[in-house]
Amino acid sequence: MTSPRSRETPRPTWNTDAVPPETRKAPTTRSMHGHDVVDDYEWLRAKDDPQVIEHLERENAYAESVTSGLGTLRSSIFGEIRSRTQETDLSVPNRLGDWWYFRRTVEGKNYASFCRVPALNTGDLRADWTPPEVPADAALDGEEVLLDCNELAEGLPFFALGSFHVTEDGRLLTYSVDDSGDERFDQYVKDLTTGSLLPDVVEGVFAGGFLTPKGSHLVYTLVDDSWRPYELRSHRLGTPVDQDLVLHHEEDVALWLGAETTADEKHLCIDVGCSEYNETRLLALADLEAAGPGRAPVSHVVIPREERVLYSAEPIELDGRPYVLLCHDHQAPNGELTAVDYDSALSGLSMDELRSTWTVVVPASSTRRLNGFHFNQTHLAASLREDGLEKAGFISLDAIRETLEGGDLPEPFEPFSGEELYTAKITAMALRSPVVGLGYISYVTPWRQYDYFPGLDELELRKQTPVLGGFRSEDYVAHREWAQAPDGTMVPLSVIHRADADLQTPHPVIQYGYGSYEASSNPGFSVSRLSLLDRGVVYVVAHVRGGGELGRDWYLQGKKLQKINTFTDFVAVTDHVATQPWADESRIAAYGGSAGGLLMGAIVNMAPEKYCGVLAAVPFVDPVTSISDPDLPLSALEWEEWGNPIEDKEVYEYMTSYAPYENVRSVAYPPIAAVTSLNDTRVLYVEPAKWVPKLREHTTGTAPILLRIEMDGGHGGGSGRYRQWEDTAWEYAFLLNCLGIDS
């Protein structure tokens, strides 16, 4: 029955003459814990089988045919995105050493060029650290193009830049390239004094390779067949790759390996961990410099993994005495910052012994989450989360010194007092830089890049991302509301709409959600979202459990054996929205991607009647199959997020109770579009490719169920900004049509 508040519901426009491709059945059986599951479509996993490729191409053709009437709408949205984007633009220059580095984008070109110009050294703090005024359409005197990604991408079906790292002396650049979308990169080193590539090329590595501060070594990570980073190596420039040193080899298939240079530039920080605990090792760079072929230097564990503590560690020198700063969750779920004597931190003490030696710098809090920190020679900057918002707080190192001498605990001070809903991020902080890069963004405010002088407590606005076409922030508003979940928990939601919208009149709604990995859906601006808002859509972000918006416990309440809270929270937000005078309950569409795609699959099984359409991007809809096979990409790493269904019957039964693919049933499903990429290594294309024909088989309705697959893309879809705008236009046109908006 239609609500008296709802207007006559506009009907979507689909090409009903289009016929979906038939998907043959080849039953296979998965047997676990005495439970047999017959899977008719597992054969679609054979990526190299020509029949699979042919089937996927038929799916693409069907999706295009069904939505053929939306071509004008797609073109309009693409044109709106392009017309609002300043295509010829550049980033705010960032100083490193004696150079200012920045990126240029040029109208008509898909990718950025990375450039630099010389910096001044006059001794005047303001003059030396004020970035040069760089014209968007002309080169500065002395400007150098370090890397033109358009040239690198020429002739490639896909292009993604992984790492881009320049040594502080400005002599060497290392960068990595993925040309297929499978997130396996080739790492290169370029001599910036000559412009030539060095013969030091490492193939098939993870994205984040970097050079040591002196530029003598390239540090990179290898991935195994399941795409898990498992081995860290060091390549001394000018030597054969087969002489590279193994700095760490990680056997535990459930842990992720990474590395970076510490803020003091004297150590490598080698980290292995998962979402629940980790183990950090510090390796002195002096020992790496002194190492010879076949003799890897020794790294030292700070807190062993057996203690099951989640932490980060950074060496720092205070008044000539070495310490290690620890941001940890030991008896402090929302994080605590402590300082430990350097020798004690690396001596293998137990947690109880370590606690007896440390000094608390930022204490634990039940309302404020401490996510991490950076420092330079005068201040420490903390990444904080409070009131559901990401913020940046600062503490002077002098105040930390006083605390170490028995003084009061310092309180972080925040440079921003923004809107109700905003995000503040630390974007750059280096040991020898007196300036901290800060970013500010909200649902209605485009990205603002600031330079912050913490010693003076002064913010300098360097740039606000331009939005063309007459955009004004005051034409849009955002506010927070709260919905009650079935267990009584209050779930926050962000509501974004045009300022001139009549909130006593029902509007179509698009509701977005994610809710996994403690990843928060932070307030952020989107040029493309304006195309929805300007068509009268109210955009809702559901901050469901499993994310990190309200601290560590908010995450823990939405993972493993409490994962269903993520889904019921999302439906509770929908129920709340449906009762608001500004919402048309018959026109609420849902949208989510990756783990948010699992959310879409779960809620459309639970409450298909509540949604007039669902868009699931790279959706993780067959989690039991994926996580039950350790040889599949990332599967073993997922056990700390979802549980291990192989060894734990309770986990298996719990996961099968919500897994979208396992719970497709005979109901009238709304229009559904699953979009994916053939070369995605994070969520394999086969999951939505199986899910779609199963949905078609069981639905009792006539709404179209579509699969759209990018044949040359990865987890983020196709490459190049124009291709990505086209993909966004397709997805938004689908959602708008579900809402009855076709122009």
Side-chain angles (χ1 to χ4, degrees), residues 59 156 164 217 376 548 566 607:
E59 288 282 10
L156 298 177
F164 179 94
H217 290 75
N376 61 13
T566 302

Side-chain angles (χ1 to χ4, degrees), residues 153-313:
E154 189 172 353
L156 298 177
F158 179 92
F159 172 83
L161 186 69
S163 59
F164 179 94
H165 177 243
V166 181
T167 54
E168 187 164 355
D169 63 9
R171 186 173 56 90
L172 295 174
L173 158 69
T174 185
Y175 65 94
S176 60
V177 172
D178 169 18
D179 60 8
S180 68
D182 64 358
E183 299 189 60
R184 285 174 169 81
F185 294 77
D186 293 339
Q187 191 85 37
Y188 302 91
V189 180
K190 185 175 184 179
D191 185 335
L192 297 181
T193 62
T194 65
S196 60
L197 289 177
L198 300 183
D200 305 83
V201 179
V202 188
E203 298 179 344
V205 303
F206 195 56
F210 60 92
L211 293 161
T212 53
K214 293 184 178 180
S216 58
H217 290 75
L218 173 65
V219 180
Y220 62 93
T221 311
L222 298 181
V223 293
D224 60 19
D225 292 339
S226 68
W227 196 74
R228 176 183 69 95
Y230 76 99
E231 190 165 276
L232 183 71
R233 293 188 179 184
S234 174
H235 170 75
R236 187 183 293 272
L237 298 187
T239 66
V241 173
D242 59 12
Q243 292 183 9
D244 291 357
L245 299 177
V246 176
L247 303 182
H248 185 78
H249 180 91
E250 183 53 48
E251 295 283 357
D252 192 332
V253 297
L255 298 181
W256 185 282
L257 171 65
E260 61 183 356
T261 304
T262 54
D264 70 353
E265 300 178 353
K266 296 180 180 179
H267 300 78
L268 281 182
C269 175
I270 304 170
D271 189 80
V272 291
C274 62
S275 63
E276 297 189 346
Y277 64 92
N278 68 301
E279 177 179 271
T280 291
R281 295 169 175 267
L282 294 178
L283 189 157
L285 286 171
D287 293 343
L288 180 61
E289 294 287 346
R295 293 185 290 110
V298 176
S299 58
H300 300 276
V301 174
V302 180
I303 300 174
R305 64 190 72 184
E306 290 77 16
E307 297 282 1
R308 298 193 62 95
V309 175
L310 196 61
Y311 70 101
S312 60

Side-chain angles (χ1 to χ4, degrees), residues 93-101 119-122 127-129 430 433:
N94 179 56
R95 180 165 181 171
L96 177 66
D98 292 330
W99 298 89
W100 289 100
Y101 294 86
L120 299 175
N121 290 295
T122 66
D128 292 348
W129 289 92
S433 172

Side-chain angles (χ1 to χ4, degrees), residues 589-668:
Y591 168 44
S594 196
L598 180 147
L599 171 59
M600 295 300 100
I603 61 101
V604 82
N605 283 336
M606 294 170 61
E609 73 285 355
K610 297 181 187 291
Y611 304 97
C612 67
V614 172
L615 175 65
V618 289
F620 185 42
V621 286
D622 190 17
V624 179
T625 300
S626 294
I627 296 175
S628 297
D629 186 349
D631 293 329
L632 292 178
L634 300 180
S635 292
L637 294 167
E638 299 286 0
W639 294 338
E640 291 299 336
E641 181 71 19
W642 314 94
N644 186 341
I646 302 172
E647 298 181 356
D648 192 323
K649 182 179 180 181
E650 183 182 13
V651 168
Y652 172 78
E653 292 176 343
Y654 187 79
M655 289 187 68
T656 57
S657 74
Y658 69 73
Y661 187 61
E662 314 250 343
N663 289 280
V664 172
R665 56 195 180 98
S666 296
V667 294

